[in-house]
Amino acid sequence: MSDQFQPWAERTVEMPPDQAEQHEFRRGVAPVGARRTPRTESFPTVSQEPTGTGWPGEDAQQTRQPLGYHLAQLRRGGEWSTAGGLFAFVCWGVWAISSRGDLTSPVAAFVLTLFVAVGLFALARVLGRIVWERQLHRPRRTARGAHLVTGLFLAGVGIAYLRQTDWVMSAWHWLLGP
């Protein structure tokens, strides 16, 4: 048994006496021209059987995350949807006020637009899950892509509302010319 203070003693392999006599050891001088044989024994390989446990920490990725984690993930990138929603709301307001009538149908149109935007956001999230997580095997940490798509949609809706307003279009044509 080796000394407790010399842990290297357990890992060293003694050289057979016949090889030790053949090679004269000199510190700092490499044996040139002499063919060296390996001094270590080859150990038999052991096949590894899968246990189903995987790498440490891998199970943590596949466990369910709490609801707060998912809500925080959905909030990241929300500035795109918020900006598009505010732009669409302002443009809708300009269109609704300039129509000079009952606001029931314009409010219903805007609520329907918001429902379509929520559906588009959900569709973008599902497509992101299919493409980004399942096909490319990449984790999604934010909802920026879905928020960007929704914000662009709402900005387009806002432009469409402005294009239906007569005085905005006449001002636009006056600025750009005929």
Side-chain angles (χ1 to χ4, degrees):
M1 181 154 165
S2 66
D3 188 9
Q4 189 174 16
F5 297 106
Q6 296 179 350
W8 52 267
E10 293 178 5
R11 294 187 299 255
T12 58
V13 178
E14 296 293 327
M15 237 174 112
D18 59 339
Q19 288 183 358
E21 294 171 3
Q22 288 178 357
H23 301 291
E24 181 182 325
F25 178 76
R26 291 188 301 176
R27 182 178 210 99
V29 178
V32 179
R35 187 172 185 146
R36 298 191 61 160
T37 58
R39 290 193 244 176
T40 59
E41 299 175 18
S42 62
F43 294 102
T45 58
V46 179
S47 65
Q48 183 177 2
E49 297 177 14
T51 59
T53 58
W55 289 100
E58 188 175 79
D59 294 333
Q61 293 176 356
Q62 294 180 1
T63 58
R64 287 200 150 310
Q65 299 290 342
L67 181 64
Y69 170 79
H70 292 291
L71 291 177
Q73 186 182 27
L74 285 176
R75 279 188 220 111
R76 293 184 191 131
E79 61 272 0
W80 293 105
S81 292
T82 304
L86 285 175
F87 182 74
F89 179 72
V90 168
C91 295
W92 170 82
V94 168
W95 171 72
I97 291 172
S98 68
S99 67
R100 294 184 190 204
D102 189 19
L103 290 179
T104 309
S105 60
V107 168
F110 189 69
V111 169
L112 181 65
T113 300
L114 291 180
F115 279 133
V116 171
V118 168
L120 182 65
F121 178 80
L123 179 66
R125 289 291 291 171
V126 168
L127 286 176
R129 181 175 178 89
I130 291 170
V131 173
W132 194 254
E133 286 185 346
R134 291 189 181 170
Q135 296 295 323
L136 299 176
H137 304 290
R138 310 272 303 203
R140 285 188 305 172
R141 294 179 183 92
T142 64
R144 283 192 180 101
H147 280 296
L148 181 64
V149 168
T150 306
L152 288 174
F153 168 74
L154 288 171
V157 166
I159 291 171
Y161 281 133
L162 286 181
R163 292 189 68 165
Q164 293 178 6
T165 309
D166 292 332
W167 66 270
V168 171
M169 289 309 294
S170 63
W172 180 260
H173 290 301
W174 180 78
L175 284 173
L176 293 180

